[in-house]
Amino acid sequence: MLTRSDDLEILLTVIDSGGFSAAAEALDIQVARVSRAVSKVEKQLGVTILNRTTRRIELSDEGRQFIESVRIGLIQIQQAEEEIISRGALPKGRLRVDAASPFVFHQLVPLVQAFNHEYPNIELELTSNEGFVDLLEKKTDLAIRIGQLSDSTLNARPLGVSLLYIVAAPEYLSRRGFPKKTSDLVNHDTIGFSGAKALNDWPLRSFGALKPVLISSNGETVRQLALAGNGIACLSGFMINKDIEEGRLIPLLESEKLTNTGREQINAVFYKSSSVAKRISAFIDFIQPRLLL
């Protein structure tokens, strides 16, 4: 290697700050030191990287290609250093995780104590939002998203699939009877969602527009309304599997149900960042085999 990484860092700072004086100020070194580093790199490589005038500097064609490669290379060196320093050490620091409140209540909360025991140096912060949040705007490291993904700028790891169920409480069914086919729903009270209209598109053959008698923006509220005998609801298995097993809710119209609608998918999404990557991996690796979807 002909050049030194510290000289290359100075060269990058000159380019990013727009000049020798600005680079010297940013790095808190003398302008002469900056000038020597740039000249040294050019001399070692035998090419002109920066075209200089009295008013400005600009990259030569050779310099433009070289600088992009250098930028990538220095990032890789930094990441390699961080990885080897932290190897063998437990991840630590704050991890902000966001999910819809039913997923937090029924899936994440039961796992928090064991996770904290295994990773005592991770400060877990859980937030609940019924819609998709902007991770950068909300300063969120990791979000659990239910349904098909549309944001291609995010990294995603599948957590599994949670089936949808059309359900009602035994008390409601004893009072109003069982629907035998999809069209029977018009004669029943249904519970739907406000805001996210896609959640009112139930996965049933020949399903028309839902006209719910009760609506809520919160999935846990919809569950509680169904448990209290207020009507028929469509909910994900991750929040009602236990209710079904223990007879508090009864699955309906199973022969009419559609599968693989996209709404069954559950993913963890995040931006790649070396500073939180180990915390994100630790959290996902811990919860995935323990989720009851």
Side-chain angles (χ1 to χ4, degrees):
M1 183 170 171
L2 298 175
T3 56
R4 291 166 50 96
S5 60
D6 53 346
D7 290 334
L8 294 173
E9 290 276 11
I10 292 173
L11 174 59
L12 283 178
T13 306
V14 170
I15 294 162
D16 293 339
S17 60
F20 286 73
S21 297
E25 185 177 348
L27 296 171
D28 194 23
I29 59 178
Q30 293 182 345
V31 176
R33 169 76 177 91
V34 174
S35 180
R36 282 197 305 271
V38 174
S39 297
K40 184 178 176 183
V41 171
E42 290 180 321
K43 183 177 180 180
Q44 288 168 328
L45 297 176
V47 296
T48 299
I49 295 173
L50 294 176
N51 292 321
R52 306 160 177 82
T53 68
T54 54
R55 293 186 177 181
R56 64 179 182 176
I57 61 167
E58 60 181 29
L59 282 167
S60 64
D61 291 340
E62 296 87 350
R64 187 171 291 106
Q65 184 176 357
F66 175 69
I67 286 301
E68 290 308 310
S69 298
V70 165
R71 198 183 296 278
I72 294 170
L74 290 176
I75 290 172
Q76 290 175 336
I77 290 171
Q78 181 184 2
Q79 289 176 341
E81 289 175 342
E82 289 175 355
E83 287 174 9
I84 199 165
I85 290 170
S86 62
R87 186 171 294 170
L90 287 175
K92 62 181 179 179
R94 178 168 295 181
L95 181 66
R96 301 174 180 89
V97 179
D98 183 86
S101 54
F103 198 89
V104 173
F105 296 153
H106 296 279
Q107 297 297 322
L108 298 186
V109 167
L111 301 178
V112 166
Q113 188 174 12
F115 178 79
N116 285 341
H117 179 75
E118 188 155 335
Y119 296 99
N121 297 323
I122 294 181
E123 303 166 28
L124 190 60
E125 180 180 320
L126 297 176
T127 59
S128 300
N129 287 279
E130 304 315 310
F132 288 178
V133 300
D134 184 311
L135 271 63
L136 295 178
E137 182 182 334
K138 298 295 183 180
K139 297 181 179 178
T140 299
D141 301 312
L142 172 71
I144 310 297
R145 292 193 171 169
I146 301 158
Q148 286 183 314
L149 298 177
S150 58
D151 191 340
S152 60
T153 63
L154 291 168
N155 293 279
R157 274 186 59 181
L159 296 178
V161 169
S162 185
L163 298 179
L164 294 166
Y165 292 94
I166 313 301
V167 292
E171 184 270 330
Y172 172 86
L173 295 171
S174 66
R175 181 164 36 91
R176 299 291 301 273
F178 283 70
K180 302 296 183 184
K181 53 187 183 297
T182 301
S183 58
D184 291 344
L185 288 174
V186 296
N187 300 315
H188 282 268
D189 295 336
T190 54
I191 308 168
F193 287 85
S194 59
K197 300 301 182 184
L199 298 180
N200 292 331
D201 186 9
W202 291 7
L204 296 169
R205 294 190 187 90
S206 305
F207 182 77
L210 186 71
K211 296 181 180 179
V213 297
L214 286 168
I215 59 173
S216 173
S217 63
N218 182 283
E220 182 59 23
T221 301
V222 172
R223 171 179 172 265
Q224 293 293 337
L225 287 169
L227 286 168
N230 288 285
I232 299 173
C234 176
L235 293 167
S236 294
F238 72 79
M239 59 188 297
I240 59 169
N241 281 332
K242 194 171 183 181
D243 295 324
I244 293 172
E245 290 172 10
E246 297 180 0
R248 292 189 294 269
L249 290 173
I250 308 297
L252 305 170
L253 302 171
E254 286 292 292
S255 62
E256 300 275 298
K257 212 166 69 173
L258 302 174
T259 57
N260 300 320
T261 65
R263 284 177 57 191
E264 301 90 350
Q265 300 172 14
I266 300 180
N267 291 278
V269 299
F270 51 93
Y271 287 105
K272 263 188 181 169
S273 169
S274 59
S275 61
V276 296
K278 287 191 71 174
R279 279 168 266 167
I280 289 173
S281 294
F283 185 78
I284 296 174
D285 291 343
F286 182 87
I287 69 167
Q288 186 171 22
R290 295 170 173 84
L291 295 174
L292 303 174
L293 303 179

